[in-house]
Amino acid sequence: MHYLCLGYYDPKAFEDLSESERKALGAECAPYDQEFRDSGRVVSLASLEHGTHVVLRPDDSQTSVTDGPFAESKELVGSFFIVEAEDLDAAVRIASLHPAARIRADLGFAIEVRPIEILGMRSSETGELELVQGSVPQEPDADG
């Protein structure tokens, strides 16, 4: 199974860090990050750019685009990663290796773990988005 893990942080607390404090934070995170990556269970990992985001909403016959986030919140999603695990308990063990689960509670670090079904993935050969088998109901064939 796959699990989406959302990494939260407090943007105000992060903005209050000096440049040297941010560099020190990176150095503090590095060994935890390495252990997390070395687990061999991380499928994808990304950091979200701070302060740059929009929200799309259906609006009658068009799409409305507004500055995000959707709701005011003390904590924002700052990163995400996908892990492969046997069950939720195993996914939590893997996610607990991430620095946001281990250090700097004063920065609002937290991780949310949710089971997901991957519906499609881009093919490395064709570059096309390919549906994962079983992700879309198929019409029964003529034989039944």
Side-chain angles (χ1 to χ4, degrees):
M1 288 190 67
H2 290 97
Y3 295 84
L4 173 66
C5 304
L6 302 172
Y8 293 92
Y9 75 108
D10 177 345
K12 172 71 173 113
F14 195 81
E15 287 171 2
D16 289 344
L17 293 176
S18 69
E19 186 62 32
S20 64
E21 289 172 320
R22 288 182 191 187
K23 286 182 181 179
L25 176 61
E28 185 179 2
C29 288
Y32 297 111
D33 248 352
Q34 191 61 51
E35 183 180 3
F36 171 69
R37 290 177 181 158
D38 288 348
S39 73
R41 305 310 299 258
V42 180
V43 174
S44 181
L45 173 64
S47 177
L48 281 61
E49 186 174 325
H50 176 72
T52 305
H53 44 274
V54 296
V55 176
L56 307 175
R57 289 190 186 86
D59 186 11
D60 293 326
S61 63
Q62 60 185 16
T63 300
S64 168
V65 180
T66 59
D67 290 339
F70 177 71
E72 289 299 316
S73 173
K74 182 180 177 188
E75 295 175 335
L76 294 178
V77 176
S79 65
F80 74 88
F81 52 94
I82 297 173
V83 298
E84 191 170 39
E86 299 76 34
D87 56 30
L88 181 61
D89 289 338
V92 168
R93 282 192 298 278
I94 297 162
S96 71
L97 298 173
H98 191 277
R102 300 173 82 175
I103 62 171
R104 299 302 303 263
D106 60 310
L107 296 177
F109 285 171
I111 295 182
E112 177 181 357
V113 180
R114 301 179 73 168
I116 61 171
E117 179 182 1
I118 295 179
L119 303 178
M121 296 183 78
R122 184 171 309 282
S123 167
S124 60
E125 293 177 14
T126 66
E128 297 293 318
L129 183 65
E130 297 180 356
L131 296 178
V132 174
Q133 186 174 6
S135 64
V136 176
Q138 302 293 318
E139 293 290 324
D141 62 19
D143 296 331

